[in-house]
Amino acid sequence: MEYTIQKLALLAGVSTRTLRYYDEIGLLKPARINSSGYRIYGQQEVDRLQHILFYRELGVSLDEIKDSVASPAFDADRALEEHRVKLLEKREQLNRLIANVDRTLEQRKGKSAMSDKQKFEGFKQSLIDDNERKYGNEIRAKYGDETIDRSNKKLKNRTEEEHAAVEKLNEQLHRKLAEAFATGDAAGVLAQEAADLHRQWLTFYWDSYNKEAHAGVAQMYVDDERFTAYYDSEQPGTAAFLRDAVLIYTGRA
């Protein structure tokens, strides 16, 4: 079975513009171009598009999808099994949120009681699941399952006051980091104050603190482009500057 770009777009529920863009970036090339200049897609392209849309549904970036499906080691059956696991996790999270809505409606109608902690359980679990999906393999390999499980438990049991405190601390960290970055001195007073704020921020997520792990996290901000992009969003070079400040702070410079 072969499809023109219009027919494939209709079949998959995407726009022809999307398919053209996938062609431009080398993510999904047509099987051939016919004599009239139309893109023609075969079964192989249909199956590849299905994988792409599975990945997109799970929030995977186009660059990551391209690296995955273009890899010589790409295994379609294994990919489908992984898709299924992740979609089941997503369904479980949606079920938790739906249950949260149901309990909230019952409370508002006076049919049942609901604690403030229960109101946010689904959202906390969503954050944990999202972190696991994005960084789980790396951080578990680096710090071990027990450490990460304890961290997740601490996050899940965080009180409203603790949540407000960590949000405030995060804002203070970014302000101080911007001030310190402007000085260009990672060993300066402002940079070391930023490193200490970063330590305080980490303690809201970690079961215990140690300097080696702190330095390792700071290095990951530079090694992992996802973290680098977050810290460099307003000022390129901020992630490396924070890393240098933390290495000095922890005595690992």
Side-chain angles (χ1 to χ4, degrees):
M1 188 71 181
E2 291 188 330
Y3 300 90
T4 63
I5 190 170
Q6 290 86 0
K7 289 183 178 179
L8 181 59
L10 180 62
L11 177 70
V14 300
S15 67
T16 56
R17 181 180 180 182
T18 294
L19 294 179
R20 291 191 184 95
Y21 180 65
Y22 287 173
D23 183 4
E24 289 173 11
I25 64 175
L27 180 59
L28 180 67
K29 292 285 187 182
R32 61 186 176 86
I33 305 295
N34 68 12
S35 58
S36 300
Y38 291 110
R39 294 174 173 85
I40 302 297
Y41 298 85
Q43 191 60 55
Q44 184 175 349
E45 290 71 41
V46 170
D47 292 344
R48 181 161 179 163
L49 178 59
Q50 183 191 33
H51 284 296
I52 292 169
L53 296 182
F54 273 135
Y55 280 124
R56 291 299 287 158
E57 186 66 26
L58 294 167
V60 181
S61 72
L62 290 178
D63 286 340
E64 291 177 295
I65 296 173
K66 184 178 177 181
D67 289 342
S68 177
V69 298
S71 170
F74 178 72
D75 184 327
D77 289 338
R78 181 179 177 182
L80 284 170
E81 290 172 358
E82 292 175 350
H83 291 323
R84 186 177 187 279
V85 170
K86 291 177 180 178
L87 287 169
L88 286 172
E89 291 173 352
K90 188 173 182 179
R91 183 175 71 180
E92 184 178 349
Q93 171 58 17
L94 288 173
N95 286 338
R96 281 194 293 266
L97 292 174
I98 291 170
N100 191 296
V101 170
D102 289 342
R103 287 196 300 269
T104 303
L105 286 171
E106 289 180 357
Q107 182 211 29
R108 294 179 64 85
K109 294 176 181 178
K111 295 181 179 180
S112 66
M114 187 178 189
S115 69
D116 289 339
K117 181 181 178 181
Q118 289 175 316
K119 292 178 182 178
F120 298 100
E121 284 179 349
F123 299 106
K124 289 178 181 178
Q125 187 62 49
S126 179
L127 177 59
I128 291 170
D129 292 343
D130 188 49
N131 286 338
E132 286 283 357
R133 185 167 57 251
K134 290 180 179 178
Y135 315 116
N137 291 337
E138 297 101 316
I139 60 178
R140 286 183 177 276
K142 189 175 183 66
Y143 301 110
D145 290 336
E146 185 178 351
T147 298
I148 302 306
D149 289 341
R150 286 201 307 265
S151 177
N152 288 342
K153 183 178 180 181
K154 187 171 184 178
L155 174 58
K156 195 170 183 179
N157 292 330
R158 181 184 293 168
T159 66
E160 184 178 351
E161 292 76 15
E162 289 172 334
H163 179 73
V166 75
E167 289 296 311
K168 182 179 180 180
L169 190 58
N170 188 51
E171 293 175 3
Q172 291 174 336
L173 167 61
H174 282 271
R175 283 199 302 269
K176 185 68 68 174
L177 186 56
E179 294 173 10
F181 184 82
T183 70
D185 184 5
V189 174
L190 290 175
Q192 292 306 295
E193 288 177 354
D196 186 64
L197 286 170
H198 187 256
R199 175 194 62 78
Q200 295 177 49
W201 178 77
L202 284 174
T203 60
F204 278 92
Y205 296 91
W206 289 0
D207 187 56
S208 61
Y209 171 83
N210 70 76
K211 292 182 178 181
E212 183 179 359
H214 190 182
V217 166
Q219 183 61 50
M220 185 170 64
Y221 291 165
V222 176
D223 295 340
D224 191 314
E225 61 183 13
R226 294 167 296 183
F227 290 104
T228 303
Y230 171 74
Y231 280 100
D232 285 8
S233 60
E234 294 185 5
Q235 183 64 57
T238 301
F241 183 83
L242 176 59
R243 184 272 315 273
D244 294 343
V246 169
L247 292 180
I248 294 170
Y249 179 85
T250 57
R252 300 307 198 268

